[in-house]
Amino acid sequence: MSGPADRRPRLRVVAIADADSFVKWSSALIDAIPDVNPHLVLVRTPLLVSEEQQAAALAGTRLSAADVTRVDHDALTPWLAADRPDAIVVAGRGPFVRLVLRQVDRLPVRPVTVSGLPGMSIPAQRGAALYRRHVDLLVVHSRRELRAFRELTGRLGVSVELGLATLPYTRSAPSDGRGTDLVFAAQAIVPRERADRAALADILRRAALADPTRRVVVKLRSRAERGEQETHLERSAYQELLRDRPENLVFSHEPMSVALSRAEGLVTVSSTAAVEAIAMGVPVIALDAFGVSKAHLNTVFVGSGLFGDADDVVARRFRHPHAAWLDDNYFHDPAASTWWARVGELVTQRRRGELPARYVPAPRGGALHAAWHRKAVLGAEDRTVAGAVALALGSPLVRAILAARRIRGRRGAGTWSDDSSDITVTPARHQDPIRRRGRTLALSAVD
């Protein structure tokens, strides 16, 4: 016989995403919520995951292909109006989040809006806060991130409520410890320069040659030959840099959890895969061969005991993190993660008419700016005349803005050059281009 708790209606929660890392994060985040009806909506942009990338992202969750809907951007509002979710998690790069929120603003019945970042988010970046400042709740994943985003939003004069969540990847089952692979978590923009990426490829080649009986596995997120994209544009791919490689140096596109189940240890510069490995009991080397800085997104590992150099990688001298680092960095007590309880309270307030909508204001540049923003996110998926005009007129302007930033520099406290702080109040150091399948168009929107 069912009790009162069994008869309570489940909240309907929908994650809205496009790119691979955000699909993995948002699906794992909503999968961790008890007693909800979860669904995943994928919006067609040039970054949209392939069916294979989708399957890898959903691996280990209760979501299947039947729980996924793919829609065009203009069909999103009608879909949400028909589904009437209680809460949505908008999961994508900042410009994507803002574009989706504009669609949410058109709904007659407004859900509670949530957003966040798909992994370790130290340093807390200016754009991450500015693009997401109109959601009802911004999710962070560690006590350290909570402090950093409070400081950042205060410095920027941004008002947005923060909620602490457990990073979904920390729920991985422990490994049996019998793996023999050295797994390298490849990243598209860290390190960024071709010379550094070539040097890293050489380290992996040396590690493979040092012991031909054990594999070195380069874990990749996309297949360029199939037109697959990643969240960030990769300019020097490891497939190209490692054309000449020993037989025991291999590429893999399987889910990270599967790769780690056969791992002796993980090597990364700054990938969130380190957290997934730690959760499974797999030791890690956070490679510091290119320095420890905000530019390499690896200051989060300071104090962890995980840093190692090229010789450590070749010798496979993996490390486990210091206990004191864990509680402040992604391994806090799950009871402290109250973000979903807060979402429930916000849903109740909205139903009572007590939660004002946080509308995205009209862009300062008017219709042309709005058209540029849409084109920046949708690329070739945007076929409007306004988008084509905005692209032609806006590209030189954006290039001028970026050039001016480089001339002014970014020195001082809380900037990219200040490695002692956990925030950046200055804009992103690099801008990815507007993309379409097969080629790029122009620089994307700047914050």
Side-chain angles (χ1 to χ4, degrees), residues 313-330:
V313 174
V314 174
R316 298 183 177 228
R317 290 191 286 263
F318 302 106
R319 295 109 151 94
H320 290 282
H322 296 324
W325 180 84
L326 291 172
D327 181 66
D328 206 33
N329 295 274
Y330 311 105

Side-chain angles (χ1 to χ4, degrees), residues 28 33 49 57 85 102 131 155 164 216 294 311 318 392-393 401:
I33 304 169
V49 291
R102 290 190 188 281
Y131 278 118
R155 290 277 299 273
L164 180 61
V216 172
K294 287 180 180 176
D311 290 340
F318 302 106
L393 297 178
I401 292 172

Side-chain angles (χ1 to χ4, degrees), residues 182-197:
L182 183 161
V183 177
F184 169 65
Q187 296 168 268
I189 59 172
V190 179
R192 185 178 181 89
E193 301 303 325
R194 181 180 179 86
D196 289 342
R197 296 177 76 81

Side-chain angles (χ1 to χ4, degrees), residues 235-250:
R235 290 177 170 82
S236 300
Y238 288 106
Q239 297 98 312
E240 173 194 351
L241 297 172
L242 287 168
R243 290 185 187 279
D244 177 23
R245 63 183 187 275
E247 291 185 359
N248 63 323
L249 200 167
V250 301

Side-chain angles (χ1 to χ4, degrees), residues 14-77:
V14 171
I16 304 171
D18 64 340
D20 64 316
S21 58
F22 287 97
V23 173
K24 177 178 178 179
W25 169 72
S26 61
S27 58
L29 186 73
I30 64 175
D31 176 63
I33 304 169
D35 300 324
V36 299
N37 288 320
H39 198 80
L40 177 64
V41 173
L42 300 180
V43 180
R44 293 187 180 93
T45 76
L47 303 185
L48 180 65
V49 291
S50 68
E51 298 288 347
E52 292 83 0
Q53 286 176 306
Q54 174 186 307
L58 298 183
T61 74
R62 60 188 149 131
L63 278 72
S64 67
D67 301 307
V68 180
T69 300
R70 293 177 177 237
V71 301
D72 291 332
H73 168 259
D74 290 337
L76 180 60
T77 298

Side-chain angles (χ1 to χ4, degrees), residues 196-208:
D196 289 342
R197 296 177 76 81
L200 206 160
D202 187 62
I203 293 170
L204 298 175
R205 189 181 290 108
R206 287 169 51 201

